[in-house]
Amino acid sequence: MTDDEERTKRLVAAWRAADRVLARSLLEPTLGELLATLPGLAESGPDEGVDVYGDGVVARLERRIAELLGMEDAAFFPSGTMAQQVALRCWAGRTGNPVVALHPMGHPELWEDGALSVVSGLRTVYPTREARQPTAREVTELPEPFGTLMLELPLREAGFLLPSWEELVALVEAGRERDAVVHFDGARLWESTVHFGRPLSEIAGLADSVYVSLYKSLGGLSGAALAGSASLIAEARVWRHRYGGQIFRQFPQALSGLAGLERVLPELPSYVARAREVAAALGEGFAEAGVPWFRVHPEVPHTHQFQVWLPYEADRLTDAGLRQAEETGRVLFRRWSPGGPPGVSMTELEITAPGLSWTPADVREAVREFTARL
């Protein structure tokens, strides 16, 4: 076992044993715990027919997602990477232009090993390279034609950032004025309603197609969906088969996705509100502890997720959090990663149900415990 594997094992053990955690880690549940959740998922009874190649409960999930997003149809995919590959490939064929305008910090550019070009034969251009959402003017002034404008909402790597509603409308209009279709990478679109002050259907209705994740915010086992017009989704289902995504049975993922829509989706606004309180309390706690420099980004989170930056090595911060968990039974931060200038590290916080019990005073006290171990 490597040192990193040993540390991960120790971290997970400390997180599972903790009395209080600000947010749960995807590494924590055991196989037995996940299997135990399946019988109680959604409203399916034991006598419902088992899905075969996408019918039954999978089709029910697709209808529900299409309804929520205000789209004509939706297709379930085993992964978001596949869903977006298919969407962008379909749009390239329909527009006759294989160029996709997107942010260089977007998921396809950072986390898919060049699949857009290697697998789908597409090419990308960037309206901006800055760590923020692009502007309508930057889209308008792109020097070459593009067939699809892809917007990641929120832009995770930049701090889960969203544009304002007015900026989003202008971005979409700018894309259409360039004769492009608009696709939303909405892996975490579910929690954007608070920031935009609009329902999901109105937000998604700006785009020609939308991808959503079923596990990143909803807590499902895995899976994603692509929503759009009936003709687009019919074509997407053909490409899903070609890409190897026509899975024989997918009921565990579909059931957990339905459960997330029923149980987690209505709670997301409360998570966003608590995330803003936690972010403010973290800033107060770091200031009180005399930390030489820190950044909570964005200062007022756009969703229930945000970044924290501190001027220490990542291993030092991770180990401090580990000792805090083991010695106090309280988990504030988890892993840290190097980022930006040397000696500066970043971690992401996602405030979910466990965080609702934390008051600002609890957060400030946990910050004091954490910084004392640096």
Side-chain angles (χ1 to χ4, degrees):
M1 184 178 294
T2 66
D3 290 344
D4 188 62
E5 289 172 336
E6 183 62 37
R7 173 188 282 177
T8 298
K9 182 178 179 181
R10 186 178 165 194
L11 283 166
V12 172
W15 298 340
R16 286 179 55 83
D19 298 320
R20 296 193 71 191
V21 298
L22 188 58
R24 289 289 177 191
S25 165
L26 295 177
L27 299 177
E28 287 182 48
T30 65
L31 180 59
E33 288 168 345
L34 290 178
L35 289 173
T37 67
L38 293 181
L41 292 179
E43 297 178 352
S44 300
D47 296 328
E48 180 176 352
V50 177
D51 63 296
V52 176
Y53 290 125
D55 64 2
V57 67
V58 178
R60 178 149 56 90
L61 172 65
E62 291 173 337
R63 290 192 296 271
R64 179 60 177 146
I65 291 173
E67 176 187 11
L68 285 167
L69 298 180
M71 296 292 194
E72 290 181 354
D73 201 358
F76 177 82
F77 280 80
S79 75
T81 296
M82 184 185 293
Q84 295 208 122
Q85 290 284 321
V86 166
L88 297 174
R89 184 164 193 153
C90 289
W91 286 127
R94 289 175 174 228
T95 64
N97 189 327
V99 179
V100 181
L102 49 65
H103 200 289
M105 299 175 80
H107 195 279
E109 297 295 83
L110 293 183
W111 301 109
E112 298 178 17
D113 291 329
L116 277 185
S117 59
V118 175
V119 178
S120 300
L122 306 180
R123 186 164 59 85
T124 57
V125 294
Y126 307 143
T128 182
R129 292 180 180 270
E130 295 186 23
R132 56 166 173 77
Q133 291 284 352
T135 66
R137 181 173 180 177
E138 289 166 338
V139 171
T140 298
E141 293 179 351
L142 267 170
E144 63 178 305
F146 52 93
T148 304
L149 173 63
M150 174 178 161
L151 301 173
E152 184 175 316
L153 303 174
L155 185 57
R156 180 224 178 141
E157 299 296 332
F160 304 93
L161 298 182
L162 290 164
S164 69
W165 177 253
E166 293 73 21
E167 289 167 340
L168 180 58
V169 170
L171 275 166
V172 170
E173 291 175 349
R176 298 247 164 79
E177 287 171 1
R178 296 293 304 269
D179 296 321
V181 296
V182 178
H183 171 75
F184 286 171
D185 176 343
R188 298 173 173 86
L189 190 71
W190 306 112
E191 60 266 33
S192 68
T193 55
V194 175
H195 176 83
F196 287 133
R198 300 292 196 284
L200 279 167
S201 59
E202 188 172 353
I203 299 167
L206 293 177
D208 297 287
S209 60
V210 179
Y211 141 66
V212 289
S213 173
L214 297 174
Y215 74 91
K216 288 182 178 176
S217 294
L218 298 182
L221 293 176
S222 64
L226 176 67
S229 68
S231 66
L232 175 72
I233 300 307
E235 181 183 0
R237 288 192 170 104
V238 175
W239 280 106
R240 180 181 63 186
H241 194 181
R242 291 169 175 160
Y243 272 67
Q246 189 76 354
I247 309 299
F248 179 55
R249 287 207 172 109
Q250 302 165 96
F251 67 89
Q253 291 84 354
L255 286 174
S256 66
L258 282 166
L261 293 174
E262 293 172 11
R263 303 172 186 177
V264 180
L265 183 59
E267 301 300 320
L268 289 177
S270 67
Y271 298 169
V272 176
R274 185 50 53 91
R276 293 172 176 177
E277 294 176 358
V278 169
L282 285 171
E284 294 166 359
F286 288 133
E288 292 169 1
V291 175
W293 179 89
F294 65 87
R295 177 65 57 84
V296 176
H297 177 67
E299 186 174 351
V300 178
H302 294 179
T303 71
H304 66 303
Q305 302 147 321
F306 57 94
Q307 298 175 340
V308 179
W309 296 75
L310 289 175
Y312 301 93
E313 297 293 341
D315 286 349
R316 182 177 176 182
L317 291 163
T318 299
D319 288 342
L322 174 58
R323 291 194 300 274
Q324 180 182 16
E326 291 177 334
E327 295 165 9
T328 72
R330 182 149 46 183
V331 178
L332 179 63
F333 301 120
R334 297 179 183 273
R335 281 190 181 272
W336 293 75
S337 303
V344 174
S345 302
M346 184 272 292
T347 191
E348 295 176 341
L349 279 180
E350 179 180 16
I351 307 304
T352 57
L356 295 180
S357 67
W358 286 58
T359 67
D362 292 333
V363 175
R364 292 192 296 270
E365 175 59 26
V367 169
R368 284 192 290 271
E369 294 173 351
F370 175 77
T371 56
R373 288 166 172 79
L374 289 174

